């Protein structure tokens, strides 16, 4: 079911399947900011990544001596969430574990996803409850896809990315074609904190950025105007657009977790950035998207 949040500035549409933002439009002129989900390039718009960010090595993981299969980015994005509450400019959805999820992910949980609209800003809230009697291990992340270009150009060449508090370079890792992290230290050169998007900019890899180098990333059009800014306090984030497709969107993705590295051989609890949540405990995080 599709739900609406709106004020005098923005109209936001959220689908209960996956609790996923499907559209954000500026009311003044109807400008759409979100990718439409055309499967020619990528059939999603803003999925939640839970209980895995990225994929475990060989699409399986080990927990307490057993091996479990798990696809990329977990399963929450492909499940129906229940409406938990809607009041004023906020809405909350909830997903609870089932026997089906327990068979492939042996933890009882509740995942709450909330959205709050304030003027030209959408805040996205996550709350994970461990309803099990044992510690729970999980990752969670965002994957919003923003139109780029946004002004009718044929491609995003000449658009720019601006990284708050950075000046001359951004350190990042890459990935293999099957999505495993390659833990080499690559550098994206910046000029006054900005990188120009060139042809093939996203063809080499997903840019996986660790080390809390910045908490703010903006997309700028060819005139240098920032039209989307993502603000976050996550330990890492990613930048992605489908390789080799000149897709008309790009993703800015705050992450609490990441895919396995090519040489990783550990258990679920040993995955880098894995979140450990005590029995009965809760995890809270959020990020914000500002639209111009």
């Amino acid at each position: 079911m599709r739900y609406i949040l709106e004020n005098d500035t923005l109209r936001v549409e959220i689908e209960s399947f996956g609790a996923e933002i499907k559209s954000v439009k500026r009311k003044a002129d109807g400008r759409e900011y979100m990718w439409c989900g055309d499967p020619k390039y990528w059939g999603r718009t803003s999925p939640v990544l839970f209980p895995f960010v990225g994929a475990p090595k060989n699409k399986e993981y080990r927990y307490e001596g057993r091996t479990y299969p798990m696809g990329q980015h977990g399963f929450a994005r492909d499940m129906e969430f229940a409406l938990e509450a809607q009041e004023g400019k906020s809405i909350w959805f909830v997903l609870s574990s089932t026997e089906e999820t327990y068979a492939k992910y042996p933890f009882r949980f509740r995942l709450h996803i909330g959205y709050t609209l304030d003027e030209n800003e959408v805040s996205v809230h996550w709350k994970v409850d461990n309803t099990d009697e044992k510690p729970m291990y999980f990752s969670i992340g965002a994957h919003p896809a923003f139109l780029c270009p946004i002004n009718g150009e044929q491609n995003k060449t000449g658009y720019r990315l601006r990284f708050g508090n950075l000046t001359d370079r951004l350190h990042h890792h890459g990935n293999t074609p099957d999505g495993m992290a390659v833990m080499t230290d690559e550098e994206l050169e910046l000029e006054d904190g900005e990188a120009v998007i060139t042809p093939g900019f996203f063809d080499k890899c997903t840019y996986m950025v660790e080390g809390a180098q910045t908490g703010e990333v903006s997309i700028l059009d060819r005139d240098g105007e920032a039209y989307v800014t993502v603000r976050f306090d996550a330990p890492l984030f990613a930048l992605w657009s489908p390789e080799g497709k000149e897709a008309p969107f790009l993703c800015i993705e705050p992450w609490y977790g990441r895919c396995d590295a090519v040489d990783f051989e550990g258990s679920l609890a040993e995955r880098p950035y894995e979140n450990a949540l005590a029995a009965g405990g809760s995890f809270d995080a959020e990020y914000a998207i500002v639209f111009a």
Side-chain angles (χ1 to χ4, degrees):
M1 184 171 177
R2 192 72 59 97
Y3 293 87
I4 307 298
L5 290 179
E6 61 183 327
N7 57 17
D8 292 340
T9 305
L10 296 175
R11 175 184 169 90
V12 182
E13 297 184 13
I14 304 162
E15 181 65 46
S16 58
F17 188 81
E20 182 178 8
I21 292 179
K22 305 302 288 187
S23 172
V24 177
K25 285 186 178 178
R26 186 169 66 185
K27 284 191 169 182
D29 55 7
R31 167 185 267 192
E32 175 66 71
Y33 293 93
M34 303 300 297
W35 166 240
C36 66
D38 183 348
K40 175 182 177 181
Y41 298 101
W42 188 55
R44 304 178 189 270
T45 58
S46 184
V48 63
L49 316 180
F50 178 89
F52 279 72
V53 172
K57 188 176 181 179
N58 300 322
K59 295 188 177 180
E60 62 183 24
Y61 68 95
R62 290 164 295 284
Y63 173 71
E64 292 193 340
R66 286 190 57 185
T67 298
Y68 295 84
M70 182 61 64
Q72 187 177 37
H73 297 324
F75 49 73
R77 61 182 183 169
D78 293 317
M79 297 186 70
E80 181 72 24
F81 283 64
L83 177 66
E84 188 171 30
Q86 183 173 14
E87 183 177 358
K89 300 299 185 293
S90 294
I91 189 168
W92 281 87
F93 300 89
V94 63
L95 176 71
S96 298
S97 57
T98 64
E99 292 306 313
E100 181 182 359
T101 65
Y102 195 82
K104 55 190 173 184
Y105 178 66
F107 304 97
R108 309 289 183 188
F109 68 86
R110 282 192 301 269
L111 169 61
H112 310 261
I113 299 181
Y115 297 94
T116 301
L117 176 61
D118 183 14
E119 296 184 350
N120 64 329
E121 180 175 314
V122 177
S123 297
V124 185
H125 315 275
W126 297 321
K127 182 181 179 184
V128 182
D129 296 329
N130 180 0
T131 59
D132 217 318
E133 297 179 353
K134 59 180 182 288
M136 171 184 170
Y137 299 95
F138 71 96
S139 300
I140 191 167
H143 206 315
F146 305 108
L147 286 176
C148 184
I150 201 170
N151 295 322
E153 301 95 339
Q154 289 190 338
N155 56 59
K156 51 184 172 281
T157 298
Y159 275 63
R160 285 182 275 166
L161 290 163
R162 176 187 294 157
F163 302 94
N165 299 319
L166 294 181
T167 55
D168 59 346
R169 64 193 68 250
L170 178 78
H171 296 270
H172 68 92
H173 305 304
N175 63 288
T176 64
D178 61 349
M180 297 295 97
V182 179
M183 305 308 294
T184 55
D185 187 10
E186 306 286 342
E187 290 185 346
L188 177 64
E189 293 187 5
L190 309 178
E191 183 175 347
D192 295 328
E194 297 179 2
V196 178
I197 299 176
T198 55
F201 185 87
F202 288 100
D203 289 354
K204 181 180 178 182
C205 66
T206 297
Y207 296 82
M208 289 186 283
V209 183
E210 301 184 354
Q213 296 174 58
T214 182
E216 181 176 298
V217 182
S218 302
I219 310 174
L220 284 62
D221 64 19
R222 289 177 180 171
D223 293 326
E225 298 295 325
Y227 62 91
V228 167
T229 297
V230 181
R231 295 173 178 158
F232 51 88
D233 190 28
L236 65 162
F237 70 93
L239 304 170
W240 176 78
S241 190
E243 297 86 346
K245 292 186 177 182
E246 282 295 345
F249 67 89
L250 66 85
C251 298
I252 304 171
E253 310 175 33
W255 287 355
Y256 292 80
R258 65 157 168 77
C259 56
D260 287 344
V262 292
D263 59 351
F264 180 72
E265 299 293 343
S267 67
L268 178 65
E270 296 169 323
R271 300 181 79 230
Y273 297 99
E274 197 73 4
N275 301 282
L277 188 57
S282 294
F283 167 95
D284 292 274
E286 66 180 30
Y287 69 98
I289 313 170
V290 182
F291 301 93

